[in-house]
Amino acid sequence: MAIDLEPGWFEVLKDEFEKPYMKSLKNFLQQEKQAGFTIFPKGSDIFNAFKHTPFEKVKVVILGQDPYHGVGQAHGLSFSVQKGIVPPPSLKNIYKELADEFPDFNPPSHGELTSWADQGVMLLNATLTVRAHTAGSHQNKGWEQFTDKVISELSAKRSGLVFILWGNYAKQKESLIDQSKHFIIKSAHPSPFSAYNGFFGSKPFSKTNEILKKEGKEPIDWQIV
């Protein structure tokens, strides 16, 4: 696991890497590799959310749960897949909602959301790795403690951020966020199993931009390039 963090993030999180839970997590990942399992995303992409969205540039946090576990999908940004990979169902539903909110939105043929991350949308999964073809296989190994710390540090040291929480798992993180300083937008998950139960029509993207404008921040261009 290559720890390659943007300097602002490293300053905030450096002590975490010396804690017992993180050492245990490193050992677990090494054991997975030694056992011959493939881990997604590749090592250099695990911390992509931090590389593309520096600590002081974060405006919005979209929280996912696990990386995708199919070949070529995960690259360290929640809900995003690498170019050349068909957008998964949840992402297609996100595109449908965007098209409903913004009439000029053109759904792309790919699912790579790097252009969002580069504008300050932190696409953070609660668990940053997964065993190939085995959903949830790296849950409860330490990643959640690390990413809870990420959310807590953003809450404590930044102000006026928008946290987008989709689905029951993401909503559990609400307690980590100081709502006197930040904004929470929550709804059902965009998964096909729940999108019609409150995700469609929830307008998270236009609501986010309204908040950012009120905070004197540049709104997000949600068009994907």
Side-chain angles (χ1 to χ4, degrees), residues 55-215:
F55 183 76
E56 293 297 335
K57 299 287 180 66
V58 176
K59 298 178 183 178
V60 182
V61 180
I62 299 180
L63 187 68
Q65 186 167 0
D66 265 1
Y68 297 116
H69 54 83
V71 175
Q73 291 182 309
H75 65 121
L77 303 177
S78 63
F79 294 98
S80 179
V81 292
Q82 298 180 74
K83 287 182 177 177
I85 300 295
V86 175
S90 291
L91 188 51
K92 287 181 179 177
N93 285 339
I94 288 170
Y95 290 173
K96 287 179 184 178
E97 178 63 20
L98 280 161
D100 185 60
E101 291 188 57
F102 304 103
D104 59 347
F105 177 79
N106 297 311
S109 60
H110 65 84
E112 194 200 278
L113 306 180
T114 304
S115 61
W116 292 2
D118 289 340
Q119 294 179 73
V121 181
M122 189 169 198
L123 298 167
L124 180 68
N125 277 318
T127 303
L128 299 188
T129 59
V130 68
R131 185 191 297 175
H133 313 300
T134 313
S137 48
H138 288 187
Q139 291 178 4
N140 303 314
K141 302 297 182 182
W143 279 129
E144 293 91 344
Q145 186 171 341
F146 178 75
T147 53
D148 280 359
K149 177 68 171 177
V150 169
I151 296 167
S152 297
E153 287 295 309
L154 283 169
S155 177
K157 295 179 178 174
R158 298 291 313 283
S159 62
L161 303 185
V162 181
F163 290 85
I164 298 177
L165 308 179
W166 289 327
N168 291 332
Y169 182 84
K171 290 174 188 174
Q172 292 173 14
K173 306 297 182 179
E174 194 172 352
S175 62
L176 301 172
I177 302 163
D178 182 349
Q179 294 183 57
S180 70
K181 296 168 58 183
H182 302 288
F183 305 89
I184 292 176
I185 295 173
K186 55 186 177 179
S187 74
H189 195 277
S191 156
F193 301 105
S194 55
Y196 287 97
N197 293 327
F199 173 73
F200 288 134
S202 63
K203 303 189 182 303
F205 306 104
S206 52
K207 286 178 181 176
T208 293
N209 279 355
E210 288 170 12
I211 292 168
L212 292 176
K213 288 175 186 175
K214 287 179 182 176
E215 290 291 300

Side-chain angles (χ1 to χ4, degrees), residues 7-79:
W9 276 116
F10 182 76
E11 187 60 32
V12 168
L13 297 170
K14 60 185 178 183
D15 292 344
E16 295 301 296
F17 294 100
E18 300 305 317
K19 291 183 178 179
Y21 84 88
M22 185 58 76
K23 292 179 179 179
S24 175
L25 173 60
K26 289 179 186 176
N27 288 336
F28 167 74
L29 293 173
Q30 288 170 352
Q31 289 168 4
E32 287 280 273
K33 289 182 179 179
Q34 289 167 0
F37 294 115
T38 299
I39 295 173
F40 295 138
K42 65 181 181 182
S44 59
D45 285 347
I46 290 173
F47 294 102
N48 256 355
F50 302 85
K51 294 180 202 172
H52 284 279
T53 314
F55 183 76
E56 293 297 335
K57 299 287 180 66
V58 176
K59 298 178 183 178
V60 182
V61 180
I62 299 180
L63 187 68
Q65 186 167 0
D66 265 1
Y68 297 116
H69 54 83
V71 175
Q73 291 182 309
H75 65 121
L77 303 177
S78 63
F79 294 98

